């Protein structure tokens, strides 16, 4: 009997072992190191007959599990990495068990597609966005930006009577932006629009990363009425700066452009009455990117795109499956197959549906505001310790700082991360080497700030002797 058949007879034992291991990990997550320097020898040959699930779990636990770091834990403050709520984990486990290929709202996969459509509505409600956005789930901000900008590319072509999705790109497409995330720049390259076609817009003076509107107006005027794409930011990476969406909306009334907002994590400001002013006016954009595996705290890989429903035909032209003719009118016979890049998709919406339904608007308001409070608490430590300085004001959930002696930054960060108590990432801002700490995990508390800052004080004292 093959191991596949044997494993089928011991489902309960396999899942019980995984359950116990999962509970142990989650229970002791705050004790697990945030980094590891242990090396793992990799195998190159596959066993002829396999080991079976239980023996394979044993090998995994011997070779890999001890090296897995607490990136989903409360003191992993690098890369804007979120955690996973209990409800999101439940949804993710069920998504794996049911193993749906989420496509059609009619016929095969109809329930999973309906769950996704409902989850998009719940997210629009969470963000207080109007219902005239259409959306879906993709793997992350890169593919969300890709999806939105692909539809923007098709819109640009239509302005001059061209079908770029069918006939290819001819001529250059102008893209205006000030501080685009690397995923947006990467998407421009993958879409054949070329990062070299970006027309950089100045940022505001006074320690800002937001668009200088006067310079934007000059850049627009220089295009002499040519349609273009504007990529704006709801939360830049280093300092969580926001563009002035109300002012951009006024420009959109005068000029012909596609307005895309990268709101990968900054869009969650909309969940809080205290911070929702930061995204005022974003509801008038043509498309928006939001990462769910950041501040929504669902497992990787999860992001959504929102594209105004008025652009659905453009979106369908961009992504229509080559074999979609038998479906009839893709708008009448809806399938996600014709509205986003992937043909094969797991039920990514289910973890998001579980966590949104479980904790509601107030739960996410509390999560966002608690993270901002811990960010401000950490910033207080930076400003009161004579060895550190803030590189920018704390606008939301990310603290960008450096050491007074900039030459010590790399050594300091290496030593700090090697403690395994906390993890942060390096950056470069306003001509200075810096460090970023991003707070997006539902588990993070003031106690974690104490643990991290105590380590920081020890290290910096040793370095400045």
């Amino acid at each position: 009997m093959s191991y596949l058949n044997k494993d089928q007879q011991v489902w309960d034992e396999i899942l019980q072992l995984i359950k116990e291991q999962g509970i142990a990990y989650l229970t002791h997550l705050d004790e697990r190191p945030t980094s590891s320097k242990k090396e793992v020898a990799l195998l190159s040959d596959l066993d002829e007959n396999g080991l079976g699930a239980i023996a394979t779990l044993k090998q995994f636990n011997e070779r890999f599990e001890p090296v897995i770091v607490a990136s989903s834990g409360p003191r992993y403050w690098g890369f804007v990495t979120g955690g996973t709520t209990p409800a999101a984990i439940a949804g993710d486990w069920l998504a794996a068990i049911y193993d749906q290929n989420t496509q059609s709202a009619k016929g095969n996969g109809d329930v999973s597609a309906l769950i996704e459509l409902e989850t998009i509505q719940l997210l629009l409600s969470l963000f207080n966005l109007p219902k005239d956005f259409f959306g879906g789930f993709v793997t992350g901000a890169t593919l969300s930006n890709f999806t939105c900008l692909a539809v923007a590319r098709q819109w640009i072509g239509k302005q001059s009577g061209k079908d770029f999705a069918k006939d290819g790109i001819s001529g250059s497409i102008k893209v205006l932006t000030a501080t685009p995330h690397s995923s947006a720049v990467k998407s421009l390259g993958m879409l054949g629009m070329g990062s070299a076609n970006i027309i950089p817009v100045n940022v505001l003076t006074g320690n800002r990363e937001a668009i200088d509107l006067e310079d934007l107006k000059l850049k627009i005027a220089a295009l002499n009425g040519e349609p273009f794409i504007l990529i704006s930011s709801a939360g830049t990476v280093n300092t969580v700066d926001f563009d002035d969406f109300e002012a951009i909306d006024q420009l959109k009334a005068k000029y012909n452009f596609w307005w895309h907002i990268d709101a990968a994590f900054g869009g969650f400001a909309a969940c809080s009455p205290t911070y929702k002013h930061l995204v005022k006016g974003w509801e008038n954009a043509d498309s928006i990117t939001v990462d769910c595996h950041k501040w929504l705290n669902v497992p990787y890989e999860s992001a959504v795109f929102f594209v105004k429903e008025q652009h659905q035909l453009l979106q369908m032209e961009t992504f229509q499956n080559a074999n979609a003719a038998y479906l009839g009118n893709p708008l009448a016979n809806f399938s996600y197959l014709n509205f986003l890049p992937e043909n094969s998709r797991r039920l990514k919406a289910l973890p998001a549906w579980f966590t949104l339904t479980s904790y509601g608007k107030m739960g996410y308001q509390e999560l966002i505001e608690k993270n901002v409070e811990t960010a401000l608490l950490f910033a207080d430590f930076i400003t009161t310790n004579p060895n550190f300085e803030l590189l920018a004001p704390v606008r939301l959930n990310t603290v960008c700082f450096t050491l007074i002696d900039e030459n010590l930054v790399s050594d300091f960060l290496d030593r700090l991360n090697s403690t395994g108590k906390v993890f942060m990432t390096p950056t470069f801002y306003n001509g200075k080497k810096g460090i970023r700490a991003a707070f997006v995990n539902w588990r993070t508390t003031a106690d974690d700030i104490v643990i991290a800052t105590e380590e920081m004080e020890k290290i910096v004292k040793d370095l400045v002797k």
Side-chain angles (χ1 to χ4, degrees):
M1 182 184 294
S2 71
Y3 276 117
L4 184 58
N5 291 327
K6 290 178 181 177
D7 282 349
Q8 188 178 9
Q9 297 175 10
V10 290
W11 274 122
D12 54 345
E13 184 178 358
I14 294 169
L15 294 180
Q16 183 63 30
L17 288 170
I18 296 299
K19 172 188 170 183
E20 291 172 0
Q21 185 163 324
I23 290 172
Y25 172 83
L26 294 169
T27 301
H28 301 287
L29 184 53
D30 60 340
E31 302 163 21
R32 182 174 284 256
T34 54
S35 62
S36 175
K37 292 186 177 180
K38 295 178 182 177
E39 294 185 1
V40 178
L42 302 181
L43 304 179
S44 58
D45 294 316
L46 181 64
D47 187 277
E48 188 70 27
N49 298 310
L51 304 175
I54 293 174
T56 297
L57 176 62
K58 182 175 182 294
Q59 185 188 120
F60 170 80
N61 287 337
E62 291 171 350
R63 299 179 58 227
F64 297 119
E65 204 282 338
V67 187
I68 291 179
V69 301
S71 58
S72 56
R75 292 186 301 281
Y76 196 92
W77 302 340
F79 309 113
V80 198
T81 302
T84 46
T85 66
I89 291 172
D92 197 59
W93 281 19
L94 287 175
I97 289 169
Y98 290 127
D99 195 25
Q100 301 292 294
N101 185 6
T102 306
Q103 293 182 0
S104 176
K106 294 181 180 180
N108 294 333
D110 57 333
V111 173
S112 59
L114 289 173
I115 291 171
E116 182 161 346
L117 290 167
E118 179 172 295
T119 306
I120 291 298
Q121 292 301 305
L122 297 180
L123 284 167
L124 291 173
S125 176
L126 179 71
F127 296 131
N128 297 306
L129 283 168
K131 300 298 184 180
D132 62 349
F133 276 103
F134 168 76
F137 279 78
V138 288
T139 56
T142 300
L143 207 54
S144 179
N145 279 322
F146 178 93
T147 302
C148 295
L149 292 172
V151 185
R153 182 187 67 175
Q154 188 72 353
W155 177 85
I156 287 283
K158 292 291 183 175
Q159 304 311 298
S160 54
K162 299 174 182 176
D163 187 338
F164 285 159
K166 182 179 180 181
D167 302 322
I169 298 175
S170 56
S172 61
I173 297 174
K174 303 299 190 299
V175 180
L176 276 62
T177 187
T179 51
H181 188 266
S182 60
S183 63
V185 178
K186 182 176 183 177
S187 296
L188 292 174
M190 291 192 294
L191 287 163
M193 291 192 278
S195 57
N197 286 322
I198 290 177
I199 299 174
V201 180
N202 292 339
V203 297
L204 292 168
T205 58
N207 209 350
R208 297 293 303 274
E209 289 186 306
I211 286 175
D212 181 330
L213 289 165
E214 295 307 313
D215 188 57
L216 176 60
K217 292 174 185 177
L218 291 174
K219 299 291 170 58
I220 292 174
L223 293 177
N224 294 316
E226 182 180 352
F228 64 94
I229 298 168
L230 175 67
I231 301 176
S232 61
S233 297
T236 56
V237 171
N238 277 326
T239 69
V240 198
D241 211 345
F242 288 74
D243 292 327
D244 187 337
F245 299 143
E246 290 184 293
I248 292 173
D249 186 40
Q250 292 177 10
L251 290 175
K252 191 162 172 53
K254 295 175 60 178
Y255 301 100
N256 190 28
F257 63 92
W258 181 283
W259 179 18
H260 174 64
I261 299 177
D262 187 340
F265 66 95
F268 285 88
C271 301
S272 167
T274 306
Y275 302 106
K276 67 180 182 180
H277 68 277
L278 294 169
V279 292
K280 190 175 182 181
W282 73 325
E283 66 274 8
N284 297 315
D286 292 290
S287 58
I288 301 173
T289 283
V290 175
D291 246 343
C292 295
H293 55 231
K294 288 185 170 67
W295 229 341
L296 194 67
N297 278 237
V298 300
Y300 280 97
E301 310 144 341
S302 183
V304 292
F305 61 83
F306 299 130
V307 177
K308 278 288 174 65
E309 287 184 347
Q310 71 192 62
H311 302 307
Q312 271 196 315
L313 184 59
L314 291 172
Q315 190 168 356
M316 183 195 70
E317 290 174 351
T318 304
F319 296 110
Q320 183 171 337
N321 190 44
N323 299 318
Y326 72 92
L327 295 173
N329 181 355
L331 284 172
N333 298 284
F334 176 80
S335 173
Y336 269 114
L337 193 70
N338 300 307
F339 288 90
L340 41 68
E342 304 111 326
N343 282 5
S344 301
R345 310 164 62 238
R346 79 192 301 262
L347 183 45
K348 294 180 186 299
L350 197 56
W353 182 89
F354 259 81
T355 196
L356 287 166
T357 303
S358 296
Y359 309 123
K361 288 190 174 184
M362 289 306 298
Y364 276 94
Q365 178 183 330
E366 180 182 340
L367 191 161
I368 270 66
E369 292 179 349
K370 187 177 78 169
N371 280 161
V372 176
E373 287 173 8
T374 53
L376 293 171
L377 187 61
F378 182 68
D380 286 342
F381 165 79
I382 297 299
T383 55
T384 56
N385 189 300
N387 296 299
F388 300 100
E389 68 169 319
L390 283 177
L391 287 174
V394 178
R395 299 185 178 93
L396 200 62
N397 66 319
T398 298
V399 182
C400 187
F401 67 100
T402 190
L403 276 72
I404 296 298
D405 185 347
E406 188 185 341
N407 296 319
L408 299 176
V409 168
S410 297
D411 195 7
F412 171 83
L413 187 58
D414 287 343
R415 292 193 190 192
L416 181 64
N417 286 343
S418 67
T419 66
K421 297 289 184 65
V422 64
F423 187 86
M424 304 181 204
T425 43
T427 191
F428 197 77
Y429 180 71
N430 270 356
K432 289 186 175 184
K433 288 182 180 178
I435 299 170
R436 287 173 56 256
F439 297 82
V440 287
N441 193 298
W442 68 275
R443 293 173 174 266
T444 306
T445 67
D447 291 340
D448 296 300
I449 303 298
V450 173
I451 292 170
T453 54
E454 285 180 351
E455 293 296 328
M456 292 171 69
E457 286 185 315
K458 292 177 190 174
I459 294 167
V460 77
K461 284 178 181 178
D462 185 55
L463 286 173
V464 299
K465 282 181 180 176

